[in-house]
Amino acid sequence: MSETRIDRRFKALKAEGRAAFVTYVMAGDPNFETALEIIKGLPDAGADIIEVGLPFTDPMADGPAIQQAGLRSLGAGMTLKKTLELVAAFRQTDDETPIVLMGYYNPIYSHGVDAFLRDAKAAGVDGMIVVDLPSEEDKELCLPARQAGLNFIRLATPTTDAARLPKVLANSSGFLYYVSIAGTTGAAAPSPRDVANALTRIRKTTDLPIAVGFGLRTGAQAAEIAKIAEGAVVGTALVEQVALGNSDEDKVKRVLDLAREISAGIRSVKKT
Amino acid sequence: MAKLNSYSTGPDETGHFGIFGGQFVAETLMPLILELDAAYEESKNDPEFAKELSGLLKHYVGRESPLYFAERLTEHYGGAKIYLKREDLNHTGAHKINNCMGQILLARQMGKKRIIAETGAGQHGVATATVAARFGLECVVYMGETDIERQKPNVFRMKLLGAKVVPVKSGARTLKDAMNEALRDWVTNVEDTFYIIGTVAGPHPYPQLVRDFQCVIGEETRRQLMEAEGRLPDTLLACIGGGSNAMGLFHPFLDDETVDIIGVEAAGHGIETGQHAASISGGRPGVLHGNRTYLLQDDDGQILEAHSISAGLDYPGIGPEHSWLSDVGRVKYVSATDTEALEAFQLCCKLEGIIPALESAHALAYLEKLAPDLPKDHIIVINLSGRGDKDIFTVADALGVEL
């Protein structure tokens, strides 16, 4: 596979000696224009990689905050096509920051896998995380995505044991997303020590950069993770700011303010 | 369409029936599903497991259930001979317990301490709470708020049986959302929890194992009809939500070419209104709740809310094996509306002295289109999958009667 924006970003950060700040926001939440404002503002607020949530009616691995974000977005008329338009609009002003689509398989399957890969690539998407496609279903999307030059980023979890890990890693690229707790998004915070032990185990099998997520809410928590991983992912806490804001402007401001705070935490950790 | 040598050998080693089925779940659950598959395969070769299950089905569930010749329904339609497979007479009042009994034995064999389940009408919730009580295991049942409102007697039954009923407030607050919430619970409580899925859907191996535990319905029917009539049935009829009662009746007959097999989906207010639960008649293939199957969905692949007067059929999907049987043409899938089911419900009460579940009434409703024109020696077997005591409030409401 040729180098993607994701590969370049992790390489640059390694040279810089710090971990990546990976942000997650829901496409079209609370509406297309405001979501675009948020995504455009994230790189300046310190985001190194942006995960864009592809809304789905039945997000079985998400907690209440991201469930509600998805429903707000669908309620405002968001679709897969418009999600790709959002990415394309972002790309007009930013050709560097990697964009990863994160969601569930059915909207992609419904659009058609080949058409999706073509359209996603054209829009400027770099990779994807599809929660309900484990390695058992690699033929569906993972292998075609690789073929199309897009990173298929896999989740590893506390239940992924040493015997299973090579299978999970086999066709993944870009980075590995380590889900730090058994649970849904936005659940309890992980214990840094458990995460460190898990990462030590995983590194025996892969050289891919590892980003850790699920349950990170603050700059301090993200800094703990930045010491031991190549990236820290924050989603639910940012998405909650969209719900809390009392106007579209306020929503944008709240998300970006929190992103700046978390980014400062991650940037405070220097690695040799 | 080219005929296959056998229709009963699925799923393949990857858990697929043609393009349907599969294992579309989050990575957190994947190791658990593989563990379940291994435990299930082991149990199949364990004579002790089979012996214990069959003992419990006989002495606790009350099997075998009668195959009853419905003389007055037969007279009423004036055509084919109608038999009812009386799953309504099982302990807890429906076929659901056949599967729950099998799964709770698996849970115990795997050393799991906590049982979770989703429920729509509450029949699967009650059956799960029942077996959990019987084996002394903690039980949590997820149920949509809308369903809790329309199935109050079953909610109270579950509580009496010691289960915790958790109201689900997401989405349309019905069965689909209850299943999402049960999956979220399972993702969170991976160590000690066993998820008893109530229908022939979900990630592999669930569609297969639920089917296998329900096949007792068809196997008994085959034996009983052989005793009563000395031959196989001509037509099998069953209602379909997820499709476990139907699969249990159909599967042992799939390779008998002379047997016509018909599944009846819930057409709600009518397929043309969009307010229905008929996934095959009104949906297209998609991926939800761990499997690829026919789903009600919009152009963007977002799942649509189903509608049926029967809470047990109110689901936007169907078991993957049914999707395959439809595509290969072995089983014919038709539908009955709320109104047709209500009429059949009342007719069965009046003519046979049997109050059927509203779910089963959908199968009964199709008799009107099928039975009158068939010869008198044509034998139809209908799966009377459950009893209708739980539905009397819904029916009273629909008929404008105040209780």
Side-chain angles (χ1 to χ4, degrees):
Chain A
M1 241 185 106
S2 56
E3 206 178 53
T4 65
R5 288 187 191 91
I6 297 171
D7 301 326
R8 285 196 289 276
R9 181 56 51 103
F10 274 107
K11 231 185 241 176
L13 289 173
K14 191 175 181 183
E16 210 180 301
R18 69 171 178 89
F21 176 27
V22 183
T23 57
Y24 171 99
V25 289
M26 179 64 76
D29 174 29
N31 53 56
F32 187 97
E33 292 73 22
T34 309
L36 182 58
E37 282 297 301
I38 290 172
I39 293 172
K40 278 184 168 172
L42 278 173
D44 271 347
D48 298 301
I49 294 174
I50 302 173
E51 293 176 5
V52 175
L54 182 61
F56 184 48
T57 40
D58 294 83
M60 64 178 178
D62 284 304
I66 292 180
Q67 288 173 41
Q68 282 155 22
L71 293 178
R72 284 194 297 269
S73 156
L74 292 171
M78 206 59 189
T79 60
L80 183 143
K81 279 182 194 160
K82 287 186 190 163
T83 300
L84 296 179
E85 283 169 30
L86 186 75
V87 175
F90 170 81
R91 277 280 169 257
Q92 289 183 350
T93 55
D94 185 325
D95 199 32
E96 299 295 320
T97 308
I99 295 274
V100 175
L101 286 185
M102 182 166 182
Y104 296 80
Y105 186 41
N106 199 52
I108 295 170
Y109 179 67
S110 172
H111 190 80
V113 164
D114 292 342
F116 167 74
L117 292 172
R118 181 195 63 218
D119 297 347
K121 185 132 187 152
V125 169
D126 302 287
M128 66 204 77
I129 302 172
V130 185
V131 180
D132 52 353
L133 285 180
S135 51
E136 277 71 10
E137 303 292 350
D138 268 359
K139 275 189 238 159
E140 295 285 336
L141 181 64
C142 174
L143 298 178
R146 216 184 147 85
Q147 196 73 34
L150 290 163
N151 290 130
F152 195 87
I153 294 142
R154 189 86 74 192
L155 305 171
T157 73
T159 59
T160 312
D161 60 21
R164 185 171 166 75
L165 194 57
K167 194 174 159 70
V168 168
L169 288 162
N171 297 307
S172 64
S173 59
F175 61 96
L176 180 71
Y177 187 141
Y178 181 67
V179 175
S180 57
I181 45 153
T184 53
T185 49
S191 132
R193 180 186 301 196
D194 289 350
V195 174
N197 289 340
L199 297 192
T200 305
R201 183 165 61 82
I202 292 170
R203 287 188 207 286
K204 289 178 186 156
T205 315
T206 187
D207 296 327
L208 278 179
I210 304 174
V212 176
F214 278 41
L216 302 182
R217 310 186 64 90
T218 65
Q221 283 172 336
E224 285 298 313
I225 294 300
K227 288 178 194 161
I228 53 176
E230 284 76 35
V233 191
V234 178
T236 294
L238 294 172
V239 162
E240 280 172 357
Q241 300 308 314
V242 177
L244 289 171
N246 53 27
S247 67
D248 287 350
E249 267 174 16
D250 189 39
K251 290 173 197 290
V252 176
K253 182 175 180 305
R254 278 170 171 273
V255 174
L256 298 182
D257 283 352
L258 181 61
R260 266 185 284 273
E261 181 206 319
I262 296 169
S263 165
I266 290 171
R267 283 175 162 76
S268 72
V269 179
K270 278 283 170 197
K271 298 205 244 196
T272 47
Chain B
M1 199 170 300
K3 259 200 294 188
L4 304 179
N5 288 326
S6 174
Y7 293 92
S8 57
T9 57
D12 63 18
E13 62 282 2
T14 59
H16 291 83
F17 304 90
I19 66 160
F20 300 104
Q23 296 179 307
F24 296 88
V25 295
E27 170 60 22
T28 313
L29 292 182
M30 214 41 236
L32 282 71
I33 283 164
L34 295 173
E35 185 194 357
L36 171 64
D37 195 24
Y40 177 56
E41 288 302 320
E42 195 186 315
S43 76
K44 282 203 277 194
N45 300 316
D46 178 2
E48 284 305 311
F49 186 95
K51 199 175 146 196
E52 184 171 18
L53 179 58
S54 94
L56 285 161
L57 288 178
K58 179 172 180 196
H59 300 293
Y60 187 76
V61 174
R63 302 206 72 90
E64 58 183 34
S65 68
L67 181 68
Y68 162 72
F69 171 48
E71 199 175 345
R72 298 198 64 211
L73 274 175
T74 301
E75 269 172 29
H76 174 81
Y77 290 114
K81 215 170 168 181
I82 299 163
Y83 280 86
L84 304 178
K85 179 60 173 164
R86 298 291 306 276
E87 291 298 300
D88 60 315
L89 294 177
N90 293 338
H91 181 40
T92 73
H95 70 290
K96 290 291 184 188
I97 196 152
N98 304 330
N99 163 50
C100 290
M101 197 53 91
Q103 288 202 47
I104 199 105
L105 292 185
L106 273 180
R108 199 189 51 178
Q109 177 189 304
M110 294 170 76
K112 303 291 182 185
K113 301 287 180 227
R114 180 174 175 270
I115 301 297
I116 58 170
E118 82 296 335
T119 196
Q123 291 305 96
H124 175 59
V126 167
T128 304
T130 298
V131 296
R134 168 65 184 77
F135 287 93
L137 297 176
E138 182 191 347
C139 180
V140 177
V141 179
Y142 290 92
M143 188 168 185
E145 258 191 346
T146 307
D147 289 337
I148 286 182
E149 191 48 45
R150 57 181 173 173
Q151 301 287 344
K152 281 180 191 157
N154 271 344
V155 174
F156 187 55
R157 274 185 199 110
M158 286 184 267
K159 288 180 179 166
L160 283 173
L161 291 161
K164 184 179 164 200
V165 181
V166 180
V168 175
K169 297 174 184 185
S170 55
R173 308 172 181 200
T174 60
L175 180 54
K176 161 179 90 82
D177 312 291
M179 197 150 179
N180 289 331
E181 216 52 44
L183 285 165
R184 289 178 189 124
D185 179 309
W186 204 22
V187 158
T188 309
N189 300 289
V190 291
E191 293 298 329
D192 62 343
T193 296
F194 189 102
Y195 180 13
I196 298 189
I197 290 184
T199 193
V200 286
H204 175 72
Y206 281 104
Q208 178 188 9
L209 77 85
V210 175
R211 174 196 77 196
D212 291 351
F213 289 137
Q214 290 295 0
C215 272
V216 66
I217 301 172
E219 285 155 9
E220 284 179 8
T221 299
R222 197 180 181 95
R223 196 168 60 236
Q224 290 168 317
L225 195 68
M226 211 45 103
E227 278 166 24
E229 299 275 355
R231 66 182 186 89
L232 294 177
D234 299 297
T235 304
L236 298 174
L237 206 52
C239 68
I240 298 197
S244 68
N245 89 82
M247 194 54 73
L249 176 65
F250 296 171
H251 199 263
F253 293 96
L254 288 177
D255 288 331
D256 296 299
E257 276 184 32
T258 59
V259 181
D260 278 335
I261 306 182
I262 303 173
V264 186
E265 295 190 293
H269 296 316
I271 306 273
E272 70 288 353
T273 65
Q275 303 274 304
H276 62 84
S279 317
I280 287 185
S281 309
R284 61 190 168 88
V287 172
L288 179 71
H289 293 155
N291 61 142
R292 175 163 25 230
T293 193
Y294 277 86
L295 295 175
L296 304 182
Q297 54 184 318
D298 69 11
D299 291 343
D300 188 42
Q302 305 297 336
I303 308 304
L304 296 171
E305 300 300 343
H307 167 81
S308 170
I309 190 168
S310 150
L313 303 182
D314 206 346
Y315 179 70
I318 183 170
E321 193 168 9
H322 284 294
S323 292
W324 179 74
L325 288 169
S326 175
D327 274 14
V328 298
R330 176 62 186 98
V331 177
K332 183 177 158 190
Y333 293 86
V334 299
S335 62
T337 63
D338 288 353
T339 309
E340 289 165 339
L342 267 172
E343 279 167 16
F345 177 96
Q346 296 172 78
L347 192 70
C348 186
C349 293
K350 280 181 190 148
L351 291 183
E352 295 291 350
I354 296 170
I355 303 178
L358 270 175
E359 290 80 8
S360 321
H362 285 73
L364 291 166
Y366 197 66
L367 281 175
E368 188 163 316
K369 288 173 186 150
L370 186 70
D373 299 330
L374 290 169
K376 290 195 191 314
D377 62 351
H378 187 107
I379 297 171
I380 300 176
V381 176
I382 299 182
N383 197 3
L384 198 74
S385 56
R387 65 174 180 233
D389 307 48
K390 68 183 172 62
D391 293 316
I392 55 171
F393 301 102
T394 307
V395 172
D397 191 45
L399 298 177
V401 176
E402 215 167 299
L403 293 181

